[in-house]
Amino acid sequence: MENIKSTVAKLNCGNTQGTAFLISKNFALTMSHCVQEAIDDNEKIYLSFKNISGEDEIERTATILEYDNNFPVSILEIDNKIDNINPLEIKCFNNKLKRGTRVLAYGYPKVKGEEGSFVDLSIDDYLHENVANDADITLKISADNRMQNYSGMSGSPVIYQNNIIGILTEQANELSDFENRAIDLKMISMKKVRKMLDTFNIDYIEEKDDNTVQSYLEDNVYNEGKRKFFKEYFIIESVDSGGVLEDYEKLIDNDLNDIILIKNKGNIKKAWEKLDEMIEGVRGSNSKSPKILARLYYQKACWYIDDYEDCKNAQKYIRKVLKINTDFDCRNYNAKKCIIKGKFSEAKEILNPIDNVFVLNTYLQV
């Protein structure tokens, strides 16, 4: 257990907290969405190793090795190698571990603060290659685990028989639960990362046959119907037929309204935390919905103006919005900038025509 803990680091990059783990004395793996702000905005990546025997906390910075910008996993090069740690071996299974096989993850969930946490899991389902998702395996959370939200554990190693077999990517949450209670976790298998490992000459064991594995996907264990009762916290953008994306947009609207209500009641700090949590969730997968992400970025930009008159940070998020959608309606934001400068007539001109409730609210503010 201690050897596992010593190889895992708490990762911070801009406003994002995640997890990374060593695969050699100077390289680590994490999920790309954990370091997205380094990719987009050149934010620094900080790794904190808190469980190295005989050592105080070891702090390191890291950079991303260039690979495929759209690949969900990133390799980090650590600025100063760590000599007194022996990373676990990586194992790529060609066959499938049977359903119910127990596995273990270790990472740094936000709810634990500076503490790391083990999570007992088991193999639950294999996602078909036709399902647009970074992950390829669904993991069932043991009933013994008490956490409801595993945010921050993205990038954690998934371990089976003391070998790393995958990386935690995301959590799925109940549709109606505003508190984001996780119902399962997902991982990307090391088999799916194998080409990246080959590119950087990273050693791994290829498990060609194992008497504990079997394919059960063919036995129709994968049941699409069970997903009617909950939604992925990270929406699949490519599902634009049917009502999945539309339902998710409604869910976002409902959650945003709840957050705005929290803010209107005076709990600004909690509202900001909830908004950041939503942004992290939507941004947390390469299959994210750009339309939804732009809306959340825009909300944050407007709040920077409303709460702090912070035009610098507000403009940073407006650039993110316009990068996603150059035609995004930014009238509210532009009017709010005029308001803090006392240019009320100009703000009214910007807001016309008054064609939705958000514009109307800003008009009334003028």
Side-chain angles (χ1 to χ4, degrees), residues 134-251:
D134 295 337
D136 56 336
I137 298 176
T138 301
L139 302 171
K140 185 178 181 180
I141 303 168
S142 169
D144 293 333
N145 293 321
R146 300 301 180 188
M147 287 188 295
Q148 292 191 346
N149 193 324
Y150 295 81
S151 176
M153 287 199 71
S154 289
S156 300
V158 179
I159 298 154
Y160 171 66
Q161 294 184 346
N162 216 36
N163 293 292
I164 297 166
I165 64 167
I167 310 170
L168 287 187
T169 63
E170 56 194 78
Q171 66 184 29
N173 291 12
E174 285 186 302
L175 177 62
S176 61
D177 194 343
F178 179 66
E179 293 301 323
N180 297 321
R181 184 171 67 86
I183 54 176
D184 66 39
L185 302 179
K186 288 183 172 56
M187 81 172 203
I188 182 169
S189 68
M190 298 312 297
K191 177 184 176 182
K192 201 171 179 181
V193 184
R194 187 163 46 189
K195 288 184 179 179
M196 171 185 266
L197 302 178
D198 288 337
T199 299
F200 293 100
N201 297 314
I202 295 168
D203 293 333
Y204 60 86
I205 301 168
E206 186 172 359
E207 188 67 53
K208 295 182 179 180
D209 191 20
D210 189 293
N211 58 13
T212 65
V213 302
Q214 66 179 32
S215 173
Y216 67 94
L217 186 61
E218 293 77 14
D219 296 331
N220 296 318
V221 174
Y222 184 78
N223 179 6
E224 193 66 30
K226 68 183 179 182
R227 301 187 186 278
K228 292 179 181 177
F229 303 104
F230 60 87
K231 198 74 65 197
E232 297 296 338
Y233 189 44
F234 305 100
I235 188 67
I236 300 171
E237 174 194 350
S238 61
V239 183
D240 52 10
S241 60
V244 174
L245 186 54
E246 182 180 352
D247 287 346
Y248 189 72
E249 289 179 3
K250 290 178 181 177
L251 176 64

Side-chain angles (χ1 to χ4, degrees), residues 6-25:
S6 67
T7 64
V8 180
K10 180 182 175 185
L11 180 151
N12 288 96
C13 179
N15 294 316
T16 302
Q17 178 186 318
T19 301
F21 61 94
L22 290 175
I23 53 174
S24 72
K25 296 184 184 300

Side-chain angles (χ1 to χ4, degrees), residues 320-334:
K320 291 177 183 285
V321 171
L322 296 178
K323 185 177 180 180
I324 295 171
N325 179 5
T326 55
D327 297 324
F328 196 95
D329 184 357
C330 294
R331 285 179 294 164
N332 270 344
Y333 170 77
N334 291 326

